[in-house]
Amino acid sequence: MRTDDTPRIVASVLDFAPTAFLARLALVGAYLAGGIAKLGDWPAAVAEQAHFGLAPPALWAALTIAVELVGPLLILSGRLVWLGAGMLGVFTFLAAVIANAFWAMPAGPERFAATNAFFEHMGLVGGFVLVAILARRGRRSA
């Protein structure tokens, strides 16, 4: 008797070796792209931090670039995944609180958009926790 109710086609996709890497790449791709873009346009990276009231903005821009590049590389490499996932999870949570403070906005379309963006970012935080859990479980069973 089968105890796994996963359809065969789904199981074959999930068991396909590159699927896990591609899923991690999909999760961290925007961070890599953001880090590379900020690195390529330092004045814009600094201006972005100043826009959100972070001082000194150059320090925050450098930290943002480091997190957006190092975190994904750790997750993709499979080494210190907990650290990479933690870096991106904390970064994403703080960015959502700073950039999407919907609770401080008057009702209207901007608040609606900020609310959606905030909770989408919380979903990413959950994804990073799951990445760390799965990496830990994978190491224990290896």
Side-chain angles (χ1 to χ4, degrees), residues 27-36 38-39 42 49 59-76 81-95 128:
L27 183 63
V28 303
Y31 296 89
L32 278 173
I36 291 167
K38 288 174 182 70
L39 199 56
W42 177 251
Q49 302 306 311
L59 171 65
W60 288 104
L63 289 172
T64 297
I65 292 167
V67 168
E68 288 187 329
L69 295 177
V70 173
L73 293 176
L74 291 174
I75 290 171
L76 293 173
V81 173
W82 64 269
L83 180 59
M87 290 169 67
L88 291 173
V90 170
F91 171 79
T92 301
F93 177 81
L94 293 174
F128 290 122

